[in-house]
Amino acid sequence: MKVLVTGGTGFIGSHTIVELYAAGMDVVNVDNLSNSEAFINDRVNAITGKHSTFINADITNEDNLRNIFRNHSIDAVIHFAAFKSVNESVEKPLEYYKNNIGATITLLKIMDEFKVTQLVFSSSCTVYGQPDELPVTEDSPIKEAATPYGYTKQVCEQIIMDFAHANAGFYSVILRYFNPVGAHNSGTIGELPRGVPNNLGPYITQTAAGIREVLKIFGNDYDTPDGTCVRDFIHVCDLAKAHVAALQKLIKEKPTQSVLVYNVGTGKGNTVLEVVKAFEKATGISVNYTITGRREGDIEKIWANAAKAEKELHWKAERSLEEAMLHAWLWEKNYRNIL
Ligand code: NAD
Ligand code: WQD
């Protein structure tokens, strides 16, 4: 089983490649390193003891993808490659539409040319906006997208569904990730944000490492147990394993529907302050934080109902928030050479 992983040098892709090898699969990774570093591939090889094929190429280019499919016998694709910064997407909507939607269209076209019929797609809980009822199920309403980034996920889901409808024999699993945190327990791969992090996990570890002076917690006047926002934080290695489960579903069972959608979360909500406390408990390091005003566009609370993935993919999150925080810290220390 040879899996083409797009964006496999990135945060979630690199952890997924580790799990694909652990499950006995072979990997071709295509990534243009627009938001990742090539050394991550060496680290993945060191963890797995394998040598994944790495191709540095932009997948919005048809010929690049065509060459890959021509030169490798690809059985299935996991499509991570996308731009992912919510804020940046507001500043540069055309780049986001071009890259995220363009790459998905090009990929489907070339998969069709080479008769590759199995796709796992990275979607996001952002498609739900602020849900009316919690936890969210896969049938919860899709809300009007708050940002171009969120809209690219909604559009790509629709494109995949329309493509599957038009092409009998094509199957896809769409995974809606909640908030990935943590890192591989070796501390040798992890999240590598460029510049000032937007996301909570790397902001916490960078503050603990002294790179950021203070973590600003955006608002403590929400209708939540301690007033800070609630999210479903999932260890990236648990999330990575969900991709293996999704592929196995496509390979071993003939799914009853051509497109299957799953929430990938823990099923539990934690507040921002609880995440800080989990980090402090796991590492023994106190985080310098301050409460500031709300961040524009933040939703108050969301967490997953992950029962469908457990029932149909035989997958559930196993690692705790504290483990995720410890592993994220091991990665930050390793990357910064902190003893
Ligand atoms: P990431 O930026 O770390 O990884 C994405 C990788 O794709 C990067 O290595 C980047 O260089 C590559 N890439 C981007 N455009 C490309 C192109 N045109 N051609 C080739 N490579 C390209 O992001 P991540 O956190 O690993 O996210 C992976 C996927 O999961 C993305 O689709 C993202 O939208 C989605 N997602 C992420 C989160 C999150 O919080 N991290 C949550 C929900 C969904
Ligand atoms: C989490 C919580 C912040 C930073 C985003 C995307 C979503 C998905 C995951 C891709 C919020 C608070 C954060 C900080 C803080 N990505 N926070 N201080 O906003 O839930 O989701 O990433 O699909 O689409 O929107 O994640 O990590 O930015 O924030 O207080 O410095 O942490 O207010 O409540 P978010 P996040």
Side-chain angles (χ1 to χ4, degrees):
M1 180 82 195
K2 192 174 267 190
V3 184
L4 175 66
V5 177
T6 75
T9 312
F11 175 41
I12 305 168
S14 56
H15 291 81
T16 300
I17 291 175
V18 170
E19 296 302 333
L20 290 171
Y21 276 118
M25 300 184 191
D26 197 5
V27 174
V28 174
N29 167 18
V30 55
D31 195 306
N32 65 356
L33 305 179
S34 56
N35 195 40
S36 55
E37 304 289 338
F39 79 85
I40 291 291
N41 295 319
D42 304 328
R43 302 280 182 89
V44 168
N45 290 341
I47 293 169
T48 61
K50 308 278 183 184
H51 191 88
S52 67
T53 304
F54 171 59
I55 298 153
N56 183 344
D58 185 332
I59 63 155
T60 59
N61 179 300
E62 280 186 21
D63 288 335
N64 287 344
L65 270 181
R66 204 170 273 119
N67 282 336
I68 294 170
F69 281 82
R70 198 174 281 135
N71 295 334
H72 301 272
S73 173
I74 303 295
D75 298 298
V77 180
I78 307 182
H79 178 36
F80 293 104
F83 293 156
K84 68 162 176 180
S85 164
V86 173
N87 295 344
E88 192 182 55
S89 79
V90 177
E91 308 292 322
K92 302 174 180 172
L94 298 185
E95 287 186 24
Y96 273 67
Y97 289 132
K98 184 167 183 232
N99 195 54
N100 294 8
I101 300 174
T104 303
I105 292 172
T106 307
L107 176 65
L108 288 170
K109 181 176 177 197
I110 305 302
M111 285 178 75
D112 191 36
E113 265 180 45
F114 286 83
K115 305 280 169 269
V116 176
T117 57
Q118 306 180 107
L119 173 70
V120 178
F121 176 69
S122 300
S123 190
S124 168
C125 68
T126 196
V127 301
Y128 298 118
Q130 175 60 69
D132 302 322
E133 283 175 34
L134 287 164
V136 275
T137 72
E138 291 78 358
D139 296 324
S140 296
I142 301 298
K143 293 283 177 72
E144 189 182 337
T147 64
Y149 168 76
Y151 192 52
T152 68
K153 291 298 170 192
Q154 296 183 354
V155 170
C156 286
E157 286 197 6
Q158 189 62 48
I159 290 170
I160 290 166
M161 288 180 197
D162 292 344
F163 180 81
H165 183 73
N167 291 278
F170 177 86
Y171 292 96
S172 179
V173 172
I174 291 174
L175 298 178
R176 292 182 181 151
Y177 313 155
F178 283 65
N179 288 56
V181 285
H184 189 263
N185 63 13
S186 64
T188 58
I189 57 172
E191 199 166 356
L192 203 49
R194 294 220 156 121
V196 182
N198 291 316
N199 294 115
L200 181 64
Y203 213 105
I204 290 176
T205 55
Q206 290 194 12
T207 306
I211 293 151
R212 310 284 154 209
E213 202 179 311
V214 58
L215 166 72
K216 294 190 196 98
I217 294 183
F218 301 132
N220 67 348
D221 57 351
Y222 288 99
D223 180 20
T224 62
D226 59 29
T228 63
C229 292
V230 170
R231 298 287 184 274
D232 185 332
F233 296 95
I234 176 166
H235 194 299
V236 65
C237 294
D238 281 333
L239 175 55
K241 284 190 166 185
H243 295 78
V244 176
L247 272 184
Q248 281 166 344
K249 174 92 181 166
L250 289 175
I251 301 160
K252 288 186 187 156
E253 297 171 34
K254 260 275 164 281
T256 48
Q257 287 164 282
S258 56
V259 181
L260 297 164
V261 180
Y262 296 98
N263 285 341
V264 189
T266 65
K268 187 174 181 293
N270 282 103
T271 68
V272 172
L273 264 176
E274 283 168 353
V275 180
V276 173
K277 298 294 163 210
F279 179 90
E280 292 179 333
K281 189 160 175 221
T283 64
I285 298 168
S286 61
V287 178
N288 185 23
Y289 73 84
T290 180
I291 308 287
T292 64
R294 292 180 176 197
R295 180 171 72 175
E296 198 191 326
D298 261 339
I299 58 167
E300 183 171 81
K301 50 192 165 196
I302 186 166
W303 66 95
N305 178 328
K308 187 179 173 198
E310 183 170 357
K311 183 161 173 256
E312 296 183 14
L313 298 180
H314 316 295
W315 168 93
K316 68 176 174 136
E318 283 166 353
R319 294 162 178 80
S320 68
L321 184 57
E322 276 178 38
E323 271 177 282
M325 290 298 111
L326 177 64
H327 297 155
W329 178 236
L330 291 180
W331 157 244
E332 187 76 54
K333 280 205 303 182
N334 183 306
Y335 181 62
R336 310 272 171 201
N337 289 320
I338 298 170
L339 296 175

